[in-house]
Amino acid sequence: MTLEGLDDLDRAILGALQRDARHTSSGEIAERMDVSASTVRKRIQRLESEGIITGYHAAVDYERAGYPLYMHLICTAPIPERESLAAGALAVPGVVDVREIATGTENVVVTVVAADAEELTTAARRLVELGLTIGEEELIRGDSSTPFDGFASDDHESTHSAETSD
């Protein structure tokens, strides 16, 4: 299924779950969209089985959780190995996010959280052992995100709440 295959109900479900999956019930979405709650639940199951909804995640303030070092390690991987190296990086303790970049030589960005410099160094060493070359290290002060506004429905307020971790 692609975005073109999504109807207004699918988009409303995606928008509502992106804004607040934890506190949004299928009944609330159903009422807003004038359908039954069971229809919404079935749609959610379909969106999950089709791989459009890939998970539900907590936004964590790592510093408050005791991990004050939050870094992006900008790496280079040989193109034929990029996907497998990125997958391998996810198994390194402290790694919370890996992004494959389609252009340029710095084509893998690994996000690591650590309690101290020693943990960060250990994670970086493991990434190098995997076969990644670390080119840059960026200490992150905070990050914010917002739901994609393409799923906003005209029949309800489309305000967005950003999640921030400083």
Side-chain angles (χ1 to χ4, degrees):
M1 176 179 289
T2 63
L3 184 59
E4 294 83 39
L6 299 177
D7 64 14
D8 288 342
L9 178 56
D10 293 325
R11 286 195 260 309
I13 290 168
L14 292 171
L17 294 177
Q18 278 190 127
R19 280 187 300 283
D20 190 0
R22 186 171 183 196
H23 298 107
T24 301
S25 71
S26 54
E28 291 169 336
I29 298 169
E31 185 177 317
R32 192 168 38 235
M33 296 302 294
D34 197 29
V35 297
S36 71
S38 66
T39 296
V40 172
R41 284 191 296 276
K42 287 177 186 173
R43 291 292 188 100
I44 291 171
Q45 289 173 346
R46 183 178 55 91
L47 291 166
E48 290 170 344
S49 70
E50 294 285 337
I52 292 173
I53 295 175
T54 60
Y56 302 88
H57 311 281
V60 177
D61 182 324
Y62 294 111
E63 186 172 359
R64 288 181 188 217
Y67 297 92
L69 297 178
Y70 181 44
M71 297 194 76
H72 285 168
L73 303 177
I74 301 168
C75 306
T76 299
I79 300 297
E81 300 172 46
R82 179 178 55 206
E83 187 175 351
S84 64
L85 289 173
L90 283 171
V92 172
V95 171
V96 296
D97 186 63
V98 177
R99 294 177 186 223
E100 292 179 58
I101 310 300
T103 58
T105 57
E106 294 178 322
N107 55 8
V108 178
V109 178
V110 180
T111 304
V112 178
V113 296
D116 55 38
E118 184 177 331
E119 283 183 10
L120 184 61
T121 300
T122 300
R125 187 175 301 119
R126 299 256 327 254
L127 293 169
V128 169
E129 289 168 0
L130 278 174
L132 291 167
T133 301
I134 299 172
E136 289 184 50
E137 299 174 359
E138 297 177 344
L139 182 61
I140 307 302
R141 184 177 168 276
D143 76 19
S144 302
S145 64
T146 190
F148 173 59
D149 63 359
F151 298 133
S153 175
D154 293 336
D155 65 339
H156 70 282
E157 195 173 318
S158 63
T159 58
H160 303 288
S161 61
E163 300 168 7
T164 304
S165 62
D166 290 351

